[in-house]
Amino acid sequence: VKEVANLSLVSSACDVVSAAYASTKESHPYLRSVCGAAEKGVQSVTEATASCVQPVLATLEPHVAAANEYASKGLEKLGEKLPLLQKPVEQILSDTKELVSSRVADVKDAVSS
């Protein structure tokens, strides 16, 4: 999970969503109240679940470690095949706009001639 979260695409997407969430909370007082209550509820459930799940995780630790290693290798291969994952959202959007503009210009040139 940490490796996925550290991918530039995922990290920058989370930053964008987080900024939008914070902005929405600031702009809408009613949503701020609802979101605050939801955040407290999630935090309470997370804390309660963590204490219950801890013994199970300790038992499953060798299996989790093996799955983690397998997932890490798979993620590394995915990163090699999809270099897009190493780019932030802003760069991907910029590159996409540039590509579309270029293609539209090519089409206009083809139609003109």
Side-chain angles (χ1 to χ4, degrees):
V1 172
K2 287 180 185 177
E3 288 182 45
V4 171
N6 286 332
L7 291 171
S8 294
L9 176 62
V10 175
S11 176
S12 65
C14 288
D15 291 344
V16 168
V17 170
S18 179
Y21 177 74
S23 174
T24 301
K25 278 178 38 176
E26 291 302 315
S27 301
H28 301 88
Y30 296 116
L31 283 178
R32 184 178 326 137
S33 300
V34 171
C35 291
E39 289 168 10
K40 287 179 184 174
V42 168
Q43 183 178 8
S44 298
V45 169
T46 301
E47 290 170 357
T49 304
S51 62
C52 295
V53 173
Q54 198 62 30
V56 175
L57 287 179
T59 304
L60 295 175
E61 198 281 324
H63 303 292
V64 171
N68 184 48
E69 186 173 332
Y70 181 73
S72 181
K73 288 178 183 177
L75 186 59
E76 187 176 313
K77 287 182 181 180
L78 186 63
E80 291 170 4
K81 293 183 180 188
L82 294 172
L84 171 87
L85 296 173
Q86 305 303 329
K87 296 181 178 181
V89 171
E90 296 82 6
Q91 184 177 357
I92 293 169
L93 291 174
S94 174
D95 292 351
T96 303
K97 287 177 185 175
E98 206 173 291
L99 178 64
V100 169
S101 295
S102 171
R103 296 294 184 228
V104 168
D106 292 346
V107 169
K108 282 181 181 179
D109 290 345
V111 170
S112 296
S113 58

